[in-house]
Structures are given as C-alpha cells and as structure tokens.
Amino acid sequence: MRLRSFGLTLLIFVLILTSAACSSGKTDAKPAAGSGEKYTFKLAHITPTDHMWHKAAEKFKEELDKRSGGRMQLEIYPASQLGTEADMVQQISSGSVDFGFITAAYMSSRAPAFTAWFAPYAFKDLEETNAARDTEIAKKILGTLDSQGIKGLDYVFAGNRVMLFKDKEVKKPEDMKGLAFRVTPSPPLQDFYKSMGASPESLPLPEVYAAIQTGVIDGMDMDLDATITNKYYEVAKYGAVTNHMVWPAVAMMNKAKYDKMSDADKKIIDESIKAAADYSAKTRASQEEEFKKTLSDKGMKIYEIDQKLFEPYIKQFDEKYSSTDPLIKEFMDTFRK
Ligand code: BEZ
C-alpha cells in the first residue's frame, strides 16, 4: 500500500516536471517577433559589391535575420544582375523581386516628385541630408509610388555628386561650356548641366569607363564612392568635389507583399531598412576625407569650386521645377533656407 502511494506521488512529480519542461520548450521555440511566417526575399540593385549601397543591402539582410529570429532571409542581386533599373522596378512592381535599391534619378522618370531631391545644394552635408529622410515631405514623395504597386520604404544615401574631368581643370560653371559630359539619364540632372552650357550625354553606369577612356565624353557627374569602386581615377585627371546634389537610392518593396504582412512583420521590415539607411549615411559621411585622399594618392587632382558660382544655375533649377509639381514646391519650401 505504502509502495503504491509512493508510486503515485512519483508519477505526479514526473508529470509536473514534464509539463514544465514542455511549456518552457514551447516558449523557446517561438520566433523572436512577428507572425511566425518564413520568408526568403530577393533584393536587386545596380552597384558593384564594394559600393556602399551593396553594403547597406548586406546590413539590411543582417538586420532582417536578427530582428525576425531567422525567419526573414534575403538574397541580394547586385551589379545589375537582374537587368537595368527599369527591369528591376518592373520586377518589383510585379512581385517577382521583393525589394530594390533604385536610384531616385531613375525613379524621377516614373514618379516626378523624386526630382525634388536633385535641387542643387539643398543640404549642407550628408548628416543634414540623412535627417531629411524623416520629414513629412520625404515620406509623401515615397507615397507617390503606391499607384505603381510599390511601397516606398526609405532612402539610402551614399555620398553626394561630384564632377570628374578627363583632362581639363574646370574652375567655374562656365568652363563646362561645350564639354561632352556624362550625366545619368534623368531630366533634372541633365537640365542643370545644360544650363551651364555642357552637352549632357545619357550614359548608364556600365558604359561610362570606356566612354571617358576613349574620349567620347570629357567628364562625368558621379559620386566619390563609385569613382573609387569603378576606378574612374584611371581615366579622369581632375575631380571637383562640389557635392552639388544628393544621391538617394529609393528603398522599395512590392506593395502587395508588404500590405499582406502582419503589423509586427511590417515593423521588422521598416526598422531593418531604417537601420541599414542610417548605417549607410553615417559610414559614408565618415569616409569623405579618406576617399578624397585615396583619389589624390591615385594621381587625381582633387579640388573644390565655390558654391556661390553656381547661384544663377540653382535659381534657374528652382524656378523651373518648383512649378512642375506641388510636392517639389513643398520640398523646396521645406529645405531652402
Ligand atoms: C550613376 O549612375 O552615376 C550611379 C548609379 C548608382 C550609384 C552610383 C552612381
């Protein structure tokens, strides 16, 4: 009898222990956050793997993995592997690709409000530019992508625009007169150079090196990062670090997929992209002097041109574009001091 009661007590004890172990196991198995759904996303962009936009994509991947407890994985397709930016946006809009970091320059041809970002000399430096991501107007501009089946998530900045010249030291805007100058195929950027008398050549990034090497173009509008990663220092002697325009990538996602996600998963996406964009702008801002030195060490003459000399061309730009779209006007009213 005593033995039976001991056996019963032991059984109850074992059952209590097992149930405690099971419930703690369940807790451990729970995903860190979100719905529990697993995702393998694709992200496409055009830059080589040593450019800051690619590093920002890797940071985004890392943040998604960490914040979702491993449920959100990201495959990155860099260096135009999935085609031109037009192809990539088409793929994002149809849902065959989930995410893209696409130049605002290209996006301005599909959603004109993105032109606002190319207002020359709108920001003092990269820190000020990065802070502009958080404004109402920056978010309204992203919102104009809704009608294209695209969710505009954020902006990724990796340095401002500079001017590279094959063999002429341009010291003032008027020296640009008659130069065949590569400008990314985007009307606001092209207009800025036309107003100074240059002849803009619409060359996509992969064709630029050969064009300047062979003398098809005399110079180019570029960023310092791509000047290094694409080795333009080998074919351009002069670099005017004008920082005359900012250069955002628009971080975007297929809208239907975003809308279908739980609020907790949307939050993971939003916060991961924010972390990646902050990382990009902060890292890049800290590299400015190092990049200039690298280019000088490679043999380029690196110099500045006084912003005041560009005033008439800035005014012309603002007058033309502020009347084309209410969001561009709002942007200029917000940031022109
Ligand atoms: C360009 O077309 O100039 C460019 C595009 C992406 C990153 C850097 C430069």
Side-chain angles (χ1 to χ4, degrees), residues 46-47 51 53 103 161 182 184 205 221-223 226 247:
I46 60 170
T47 59
H51 190 274
W53 285 357
T103 60
R161 301 306 280 183
R182 181 270 171 171
T184 199
L205 203 55
D221 178 277
M222 194 45 61
D223 67 2
W247 189 244

Side-chain angles (χ1 to χ4, degrees), residues 1 27 64 67 96 136 161 166-167 185 193 198 203-205 211 225 251 253 268 273 277 285 330 336:
M1 187 68 185
T27 309
L64 284 177
R67 290 167 193 262
S96 60
E136 272 307 301
R161 301 306 280 183
K166 183 175 169 66
D167 46 25
Y193 283 101
L203 292 177
L205 203 55
D225 197 338
M253 185 179 180
I268 292 174
I273 199 71
E330 188 178 333
R336 287 284 189 221

Side-chain angles (χ1 to χ4, degrees), residues 14 16 29 31 48 96 99 106 129 161 170 177 179 195 201-202 204 206 218 233 235 262 278 283 322:
V14 167
I16 289 170
S96 60
F99 292 97
Y106 171 68
T129 311
R161 301 306 280 183
V170 165
K177 211 173 173 61
L179 292 188
S195 72
E201 302 288 337
S202 294
D218 302 304
Y233 52 79
V235 284
S262 68
D278 278 334
T283 310
S322 60

Side-chain angles (χ1 to χ4, degrees), residues 14-315:
V14 167
L15 280 176
I16 289 170
L17 274 185
T18 314
S19 130
C22 279
S23 66
S24 92
K26 253 192 223 154
T27 309
D28 284 346
K30 259 193 193 162
S35 62
E37 195 164 333
K38 290 191 174 152
Y39 304 88
T40 301
F41 295 123
K42 292 185 178 141
L43 180 149
H45 68 83
I46 60 170
T47 59
T49 52
D50 42 4
H51 190 274
M52 182 49 75
W53 285 357
H54 184 73
K55 291 177 189 153
E58 285 180 329
K59 174 78 173 158
F60 180 47
K61 175 186 167 93
E62 192 186 303
E63 292 288 328
L64 284 177
D65 183 30
K66 188 175 76 189
R67 290 167 193 262
S68 69
R71 288 184 303 108
M72 293 186 188
Q73 295 300 310
L74 184 68
E75 293 168 358
I76 305 172
Y77 297 86
S80 301
Q81 275 175 26
L82 299 188
T84 62
E85 290 201 308
D87 298 329
M88 290 180 220
V89 175
Q90 176 53 38
Q91 290 155 3
I92 294 160
S93 172
S94 71
S96 60
V97 171
D98 307 289
F99 292 97
F101 286 178
I102 307 291
T103 60
Y106 171 68
M107 291 316 292
S108 70
S109 67
R110 300 180 59 114
F114 284 93
T115 298
W117 287 102
F118 302 107
Y121 292 101
F123 302 97
K124 182 167 68 65
D125 53 29
L126 203 49
E127 281 89 350
E128 196 178 282
T129 311
N130 194 40
R133 283 170 42 223
D134 244 346
T135 56
E136 272 307 301
I137 178 61
K139 289 174 192 165
K140 279 191 202 168
I141 294 174
L142 289 175
T144 64
L145 295 176
D146 283 4
S147 59
Q148 300 186 30
I150 294 171
K151 167 81 184 165
L153 293 169
D154 210 329
Y155 302 92
V156 182
F157 291 100
N160 297 331
R161 301 306 280 183
V162 301
M163 301 175 188
L164 309 182
F165 304 98
K166 183 175 169 66
D167 46 25
K168 175 174 177 180
E169 183 175 354
V170 165
K171 292 186 173 150
K172 54 185 187 309
E174 293 71 26
D175 293 346
M176 300 278 303
K177 211 173 173 61
L179 292 188
F181 203 72
R182 181 270 171 171
V183 184
T184 199
S186 163
L189 280 91
Q190 301 227 337
D191 275 352
F192 182 62
Y193 283 101
K194 268 190 214 153
S195 72
M196 294 185 275
S199 302
E201 302 288 337
S202 294
L203 292 177
L205 203 55
E207 291 170 30
V208 174
Y209 186 99
I212 191 161
Q213 187 180 38
T214 55
V216 171
I217 52 172
D218 302 304
M220 67 181 87
D221 178 277
M222 194 45 61
D223 67 2
L224 279 185
D225 197 338
T227 305
I228 296 170
T229 54
N230 290 324
K231 298 189 166 59
Y232 297 133
Y233 52 79
E234 292 176 348
V235 284
K237 285 200 194 98
Y238 298 98
V241 182
T242 45
N243 285 323
H244 55 283
M245 282 177 190
V246 302
W247 189 244
V250 183
M252 60 182 70
M253 185 179 180
N254 173 273
K255 188 170 182 314
K257 273 193 201 161
Y258 182 86
D259 288 346
K260 262 204 311 228
M261 295 176 101
S262 68
D263 286 349
D265 280 355
K266 283 180 187 158
K267 190 162 177 260
I268 292 174
I269 302 281
D270 296 348
E271 291 179 352
S272 298
I273 199 71
K274 181 177 177 339
D278 278 334
Y279 160 83
S280 177
K282 285 185 183 140
T283 310
R284 187 53 196 80
S286 71
Q287 291 168 326
E288 190 75 0
E289 292 313 309
E290 174 198 327
F291 281 7
K292 287 197 260 183
K293 183 171 181 317
T294 301
L295 292 171
S296 296
D297 291 348
K298 296 278 183 197
M300 282 187 88
K301 175 163 184 191
I302 296 296
Y303 61 101
E304 287 172 17
I305 303 177
D306 189 346
Q307 179 183 331
K308 283 203 191 82
L309 301 178
F310 290 96
E311 289 301 340
Y313 310 101
I314 299 172
K315 195 158 173 271

